[in-house]
Amino acid sequence: MNIKDLYIEFFKSKGHTQIPSAPVVPENDPSVLFNTAGMQPLIPYLMGQPHPLGTRLCDYQKCIRTNDLDEIGDTFHHTFFEMLGNWSLGDYFKKEAITWSFEFLTDVLKIPVNKLAVTVFKGNDIIPRDTEAIDLWKSLGISEEHIALTEDDNFWIAGEVGPCGSDTEMFYWRSEEDVPNVFDPSDERWVEIWNDVFMMYEKHSDGTVSELPKKNVDTGMGVERVTAVLEGVLDNYQTSIWKDVIEKIEELSHKTYNGNEKSMRIIADHIRTSIFIAADSSGIKPSNTDQGYILRRLIRRAIRHASMLGIDINSDWERKLALIIISKYQKYYKELIDNKDVVLDVLTLEKVKFNRTLSKGLKEFEKVAHKDIDDKTAFKLYDTYGFPIELTVELANERNINVDIEGFYRCFKEHQEKSRAGSNQKFKGGLAGNSEIETKYHTATHLLNAALKVVVGPDVHQKGSNINTDRMRFDFSCDHKLTDEEKDRVETLVNDWIKQGLEVTKETMPKSDAIKSGAECMFIEKYPDIVTVYSIGDVSKELCGGPHVKNTNVLGKFKIKKEEASSAGVRRIKAILTD
Ligand code: SER
């Protein structure tokens, strides 16, 4: 039986309700491109909102992590993975969570107790040592020597702020050698397989921690890793999850896995992730921004590695691989059945598009690869041959040469500005006046963001923004409906700043410097390495592509028309500028 079925069945027997996997593109959280952990779609409920399906939940959740995309090719990294999880929303706590984790590992998965070890939170100035967890593990039969205390590794939080808590992690001895008497978490033969988080705090942006209204449990176990452990293999790509996919790649390339692991793993991983992005209800298609850009990069990188292996990239190799992967997962994810044609078309269309320019682009690269790649060449490879900058960097790394990445982004930006100017020119008359008001709304949006921070508090962050010629709309994190007084104060503050005639200035700098300087930013991972930062006097500093007015004195009068709920913990303001 598949581990997912065993897990769900077990937790159902403990009174849990299975919830469906949320889409890979978060529905109500614009701060991340993809769901990166099982608990992410549950954040509003972990924060106290009642869940319609009760207080004991379990699921398998599709997760995508693309921050370590370059690591793909080793034995254990994946851009897509599934996470098993069970949750208590103010229901059971440590005793049940730990007892059931132990029971599932030893009774259902039949892991011998002596091959298990755990880490427990050591305690610090703010939160005491988790002696309850230590006692529970001991009472279940884990020896004292197999319990290690750590501080940093046993505190879990999804990002910088939000629900969090101390945790206890379970490790499995994955080696033929005798199990050591004393557990050393830094010994790589011990593999972490499961994490039980006792989520009872919320961390705020000023670094303080407060207690959540209810004590929750959040657990997470990676399907790929636990499958490798159970099947006794050291390479995740040699488990039953990948076996037939890798065999198909061997057949298509007439090469063996041994000696070609890296390219084969990249192809298998990237095609699987592309399938799940393309099948998602959000309808993502390959493009040059956001999730669509990740999808494009994944498909194009898979194609490049297929070509390196000698696969005929103009054949229907991608469909053959996709069909194997879809048939494996369709029992668990209905969208793969419903959107099968969409997925296959996305892969094939992107392949056809890229194949037209890939070989010419590679020739162009070869011509110049005797020295470092300059800005213009990197941009030409992108603009004319469709090479994502990351692909050019990968090719360059293989030759031990460098790419002028900053220069590339400069060319990119110049090109964007030119085409923007071009399109303004084209619609002169009809749209010129409109874009002027939109520009004003852009600047007013920054002022509103800054005013909300002053009036409501520093925890306010932008969650979304939409501008048209009639109004601006701004979504922001806030846990309450604004009072009339708060709205008045925000309006007055924005209008004061407008009247003060503050200068709007623009700087270009590396993203890391911008973050260090405290500039406000909504989607950090969406920005290129070189960013523009707009400052308005000394009241606002934000990462932004613009355009903005030069001085706030041209904005006119700012008026809030509406303040309403947008989604859990997110409020929405609609506002206008009048003369
Ligand atoms: N949130 C925790 C993790 O991702 C447990 O689910 O490890």
Side-chain angles (χ1 to χ4, degrees), residues 202 233 268 439 474:
E202 181 185 357
V233 292
T439 306
F474 186 71

PDB file of all heavy atoms in Angstrom, residues 202 233 268 439 474:
ATOM      1  N   GLU A 202       2.911  33.156  18.126  1.00  0.00           N
ATOM      2  CA  GLU A 202       2.962  33.916  16.879  1.00  0.00           C
ATOM      3  C   GLU A 202       4.135  34.871  16.981  1.00  0.00           C
ATOM      4  O   GLU A 202       4.256  35.586  17.979  1.00  0.00           O
ATOM      5  CB  GLU A 202       1.663  34.710  16.685  1.00  0.00           C
ATOM      6  CG  GLU A 202       1.689  35.479  15.376  1.00  0.00           C
ATOM      7  CD  GLU A 202       0.486  36.383  15.166  1.00  0.00           C
ATOM      8  OE1 GLU A 202      -0.434  36.389  16.003  1.00  0.00           O
ATOM      9  OE2 GLU A 202       0.499  37.107  14.157  1.00  0.00           O
ATOM     10  N   VAL A 233      17.002   2.645   0.032  1.00  0.00           N
ATOM     11  CA  VAL A 233      17.937   3.162  -0.971  1.00  0.00           C
ATOM     12  C   VAL A 233      18.460   4.535  -0.549  1.00  0.00           C
ATOM     13  O   VAL A 233      17.793   5.272   0.173  1.00  0.00           O
ATOM     14  CB  VAL A 233      17.302   3.273  -2.385  1.00  0.00           C
ATOM     15  CG1 VAL A 233      17.003   1.911  -2.955  1.00  0.00           C
ATOM     16  CG2 VAL A 233      16.048   4.137  -2.378  1.00  0.00           C
ATOM     17  N   ALA A 268      13.603  14.282 -14.870  1.00  0.00           N
ATOM     18  CA  ALA A 268      12.488  13.659 -14.141  1.00  0.00           C
ATOM     19  C   ALA A 268      11.846  14.672 -13.191  1.00  0.00           C
ATOM     20  O   ALA A 268      10.626  14.862 -13.186  1.00  0.00           O
ATOM     21  CB  ALA A 268      13.001  12.446 -13.368  1.00  0.00           C
ATOM     22  N   THR A 439       0.123  56.600 -12.982  1.00  0.00           N
ATOM     23  CA  THR A 439       1.405  56.892 -12.337  1.00  0.00           C
ATOM     24  C   THR A 439       1.170  57.547 -10.975  1.00  0.00           C
ATOM     25  O   THR A 439       1.806  57.209  -9.978  1.00  0.00           O
ATOM     26  CB  THR A 439       2.246  57.814 -13.242  1.00  0.00           C
ATOM     27  OG1 THR A 439       2.341  57.197 -14.504  1.00  0.00           O
ATOM     28  CG2 THR A 439       3.629  58.044 -12.682  1.00  0.00           C
ATOM     29  N   PHE A 474      -5.935  48.565  -2.625  1.00  0.00           N
ATOM     30  CA  PHE A 474      -4.745  48.167  -1.887  1.00  0.00           C
ATOM     31  C   PHE A 474      -5.125  47.133  -0.829  1.00  0.00           C
ATOM     32  O   PHE A 474      -6.008  47.374  -0.010  1.00  0.00           O
ATOM     33  CB  PHE A 474      -4.141  49.411  -1.216  1.00  0.00           C
ATOM     34  CG  PHE A 474      -2.837  49.151  -0.534  1.00  0.00           C
ATOM     35  CD1 PHE A 474      -1.686  48.907  -1.267  1.00  0.00           C
ATOM     36  CD2 PHE A 474      -2.745  49.137   0.854  1.00  0.00           C
ATOM     37  CE1 PHE A 474      -0.475  48.668  -0.641  1.00  0.00           C
ATOM     38  CE2 PHE A 474      -1.537  48.889   1.486  1.00  0.00           C
ATOM     39  CZ  PHE A 474      -0.397  48.655   0.731  1.00  0.00           C
TER      40      PHE A 474
END
